[in-house]
Amino acid sequence: RHSLPHGSVFPPSLLSSLLFPNRQLFLVGGMWCRQLLRPPLSLRPCSPYRAQSAVAQLKHLLEGELEGIRGAGTWKSERVITSKQGPHIRVAGSHGDILNFCANNYLGLSSHPEVIKAGLDNLEKYGAGLSSVRFICGTQNIHKELEEKIAHFHQ
C-alpha cells in the first residue's frame, strides 16, 4: 500500500496514479492536494449530557475571565463610527461630533480628496485586490514598484 505525507502537493499528471481508497483530492492554488479522510476515533457519538456539560464548563470559564477583565477596568467596548475618519467623528449613540485622538490619521490623509481620488483610480485599474496571497495569485506590478522605491529609499 502506497501513501504520501498528509497535505502532499503533486502535479495533476500524477492524479490517476494516486486514486487510493479513503482519500479525497482537491485543487489548491493550481496544484492537486490529497487530504486523508480519517474515521472518527469512536463510532459512538458522545452523549448530549457530556457535550452540554463541556459547553457549560467552557461558558462558565469564559464568563469568569470576562468579569475579571471588567473588574480590572480593562474592558473595551466597541465604538461604531458612523462618519469618515478625521479629527472629529460621529459615533453611534452619541450626539454631535466627538474629538478623535486615537486614529493613525495624524496628517488627515485618509479623507484627503487627492488620496480618495488616487484610491478610486487604482480600484478601477487594479480591482480590490488579488483575492489571495501573492505566492498563489502572483504579485502586481504596483507592489514590485513600491518595494523597489522602499529599497532605494533605505540605501
Side-chain angles (χ1 to χ4, degrees), residues 28-88:
V28 175
M31 298 292 284
W32 287 98
C33 300
R34 185 172 60 107
Q35 179 182 33
L36 299 176
L37 296 176
R38 295 189 176 103
L41 293 176
S42 168
L43 297 177
R44 269 188 333 221
C46 133
S47 75
Y49 175 74
R50 264 182 69 193
Q52 288 175 355
S53 175
V55 170
Q57 287 177 359
L58 177 61
K59 186 176 179 183
H60 179 72
L61 174 76
L62 293 175
E63 285 173 350
E65 289 293 321
L66 291 174
E67 275 308 309
I69 292 169
R70 287 183 190 103
T74 55
W75 176 263
K76 184 170 182 348
S77 297
E78 184 178 57
R79 291 182 209 120
V80 179
I81 300 171
T82 60
S83 64
K84 58 184 168 180
Q85 277 285 0
H88 300 272

Side-chain angles (χ1 to χ4, degrees), residues 2 10 17 33 39 46 49 61 64 71 83 85 92 114 120 122 125 137:
H2 303 288
F10 49 90
S17 65
C33 300
C46 133
Y49 175 74
L61 174 76
S83 64
Q85 277 285 0
E114 289 181 42
L120 291 172
N122 282 293
K125 183 175 181 179
C137 287

Side-chain angles (χ1 to χ4, degrees), residues 109-127 142:
L109 295 176
S110 69
S111 301
H112 193 281
E114 289 181 42
V115 173
I116 292 171
K117 182 177 179 338
L120 291 172
D121 291 346
N122 282 293
L123 274 172
E124 189 69 37
K125 183 175 181 179
Y126 294 103
I142 56 174

Side-chain angles (χ1 to χ4, degrees), residues 87-143:
H88 300 272
I89 57 173
R90 292 187 191 275
V91 176
S94 297
H95 301 290
D97 286 353
I98 295 176
L99 287 175
N100 184 15
F101 292 106
C102 58
N104 293 326
N105 187 25
Y106 308 110
L107 302 175
L109 295 176
S110 69
S111 301
H112 193 281
E114 289 181 42
V115 173
I116 292 171
K117 182 177 179 338
L120 291 172
D121 291 346
N122 282 293
L123 274 172
E124 189 69 37
K125 183 175 181 179
Y126 294 103
L130 293 173
S131 304
S132 187
V133 297
R134 65 198 289 186
F135 297 110
I136 292 175
C137 287
T139 299
Q140 287 183 317
N141 61 331
I142 56 174
H143 295 127

